[in-house]
Structures are given as C-alpha cells and as structure tokens.
Amino acid sequence: MPEHHPYRRALLTLPPDTAEGGEDQSSGLGPELARAATRFGRTLGEAGLLHVTGAWVPAGLPPTPDRPYTELGHPIGTESPLLALASLVGEVISFADWHAGARVQNLYPLRGEASRQNASNAVYLEMHTETAFRPNTPDALVLLCLRADERVGTLACDLLDVWAELDPGTRRALAEPAFAFRLPDGTVTEPKPVASRWRGRLRFNYAEALCAVGEEYERPLRTLREGIADRTVTINLRTGDLLLIDNTHLVHGRTAYQPRYDGTDRWLQRCLIRAAA
C-alpha cells in the first residue's frame, strides 16, 4: 500500500509503561495517542489506517466468552479509554440492531456463527467497508485487540490506491447506481454506486457480496475486486494493538482460521465513528 499521504498508513508505538496494566492506565490516553487520534479525525477522507501498538489492556482479562456479549455485559475496563479515543476522532455511534445498541462492541468467534459473514465467524471474512450502503454508515472505526491469535490476519486495502490505477471508463461505471446485494429470493436491493462524493472527496461503499445490476457493470466490479486482491495487506494484531480505520476509503476483512472455543480465542473491541460536523 503506497504511502502517498503521511496518514494513509502509519504506525504509532506507545511508551512501554502504557501496556503494563497499572490501575491508573485505564483512565487516560496519553498525549501522543490523543494527538494522533485528533489528527486522524481531521483528515478523514484520506486518513487511511493508523496502527497503534502498546495500548492498555488489563492484566486479568477473563476468558474469551462463548456466547454473545449482550448476554454478559460486564465491562472489561478498556471501554472508557476506547470511547475517549473514538470521541477524539468523531462522534461514537451505534445501531439498535447491532450488539443491542452497544457503543463498544465485543468481537470474538462463536460456534453458531462459524460459517456466516460476520465478525464472529471462522471462515474468511470478506473485504468490506463497515455497513456498506447503510444509512448513517460510520466514517471511521477503531479496533482494540484484547487477546491476540497469531494464526489470524486482519486484512486491509486502501481503495484510493486501487482507484488511482483504474481507467476512466471503469471509474465512471463504479460511480453509477448499478451495484446491489442479491437477496435469497433472487431479487436485489436498491442499486447504488460504489464510488460517490463525501465532503468534496471520494467515498466508497463496498462488499465482496455486491453484484452488478447490468452486464456492462460486471467487468468494472471484477476489475475493482482484482485491484483489491492485489493491494491487500495482512496485519497480525497483538494484544494491545489498536487500528483506526478510515471507513470512507479503506476496506478490511480477516483470514479464515479454526477457533478453539476454549477461552483463548482472539477478542477485539470495536467502536463506530461518525466524522465531526
């Protein structure tokens, strides 16, 4: 992923004492992370991906749950600093039909979701912008790795770099309302453009499950998919890693893996963010 912009892909390593698990570490972000989050929010639309290492995670983390977190609801201790971080980027949002409206969402594998397309599955999680085409789609998201699994890769691709290599005809086609999701009954959702404008910048809504509505749009969609495959990078998150993702121009996903379902599986927390007015 070429770094044409200083914040398109950046790495920030926090001081070692940030992640040691002291009781007072959960109450503050530290000036370096706060500045980086604020800057990220101000550059949304071209902010890219910020990978932070060394964030605070409590030493006494309980086993990874085996049922939806909405049935548990016990705070871990990372919720307040994660919300504070997300609030420096923009406004934290949630959806009533997602994780019971929780602003901090806990993501880990669940047996009943293993083969479905969501963050609790075990199969390949397809590349996507978060909640593509949904009203009030978030402009950014933050992921915090509470418990790592070295077998799992988080995938990311900058669509601005893919777009730069597309020919004008393909770009025009992707900006047409000609892409939709196919429903089980064979019908499709309302066709919409993959590429649009947002605050004077390009914005993308994308999911691998999209289909082209019209044969003339099949090649442009296939070309975009091939460009994403060529430029996707893999990030192996470690405990205490944070990812800030600009959802207006990055797609992300995850490699397939075999969860153990024994309390040691990967566990992430997520916040969805709307850009400040």
Side-chain angles (χ1 to χ4, degrees), residues 49-253:
L49 184 150
L50 176 62
H51 182 185
V52 180
T53 65
W56 180 80
V57 172
L61 188 69
T64 303
D66 61 359
R67 59 188 187 275
Y69 211 76
T70 52
E71 299 179 13
L72 302 172
H74 306 302
I76 298 300
T78 51
E79 292 81 5
S80 291
L82 191 59
L83 286 168
L85 172 69
S87 296
L88 290 175
V89 177
E91 177 189 359
V92 181
I93 64 172
S94 62
F95 301 117
D97 59 343
W98 259 36
H99 301 264
R103 294 198 301 161
V104 177
Q105 301 158 7
N106 289 270
L107 312 174
Y108 44 79
L110 294 170
R111 288 184 185 274
E113 304 294 322
S115 61
R116 299 177 182 176
Q117 271 303 313
N118 62 45
S120 293
N121 71 11
V123 298
Y124 164 61
L125 181 61
E126 296 175 352
M127 299 294 279
H128 61 285
T129 54
E130 200 67 53
T131 66
F133 298 123
R134 181 170 183 153
N136 298 317
T137 292
D139 304 312
L141 62 146
V142 58
L143 299 172
L144 168 63
C145 183
L146 297 178
R147 176 170 287 124
D149 187 332
E150 62 183 11
R151 304 169 301 156
V152 185
T154 297
L155 307 173
C157 178
D158 189 339
L159 293 185
L160 290 177
D161 290 333
V162 177
W163 185 262
E165 297 185 344
L166 300 178
D167 63 75
T170 299
R171 291 183 185 182
R172 285 193 297 271
L174 292 172
E176 294 288 334
F179 306 93
F181 295 103
R182 193 168 301 282
L183 301 174
D185 63 2
T187 61
V188 298
T189 57
E190 178 186 355
K192 296 184 178 181
V194 167
S196 58
R197 304 297 295 181
W198 176 77
R199 299 189 176 186
R201 296 179 171 132
L202 274 168
R203 181 176 191 135
F204 300 92
N205 279 274
Y206 176 81
E208 280 190 50
L210 284 178
C211 65
V213 181
E215 291 183 3
E216 66 271 33
Y217 298 105
E218 291 177 358
R219 186 196 61 81
L221 182 58
R222 183 169 60 252
T223 300
L224 177 62
R225 285 176 178 149
E226 291 169 352
I228 291 171
D230 288 342
R231 286 185 168 271
T232 292
V233 297
T234 302
I235 304 165
N236 294 109
L237 295 177
R238 298 180 178 182
T239 298
D241 278 11
L242 278 162
L243 288 183
L244 275 168
I245 298 173
D246 187 332
N247 197 49
T248 70
H249 70 97
L250 257 78
V251 289
H252 65 283

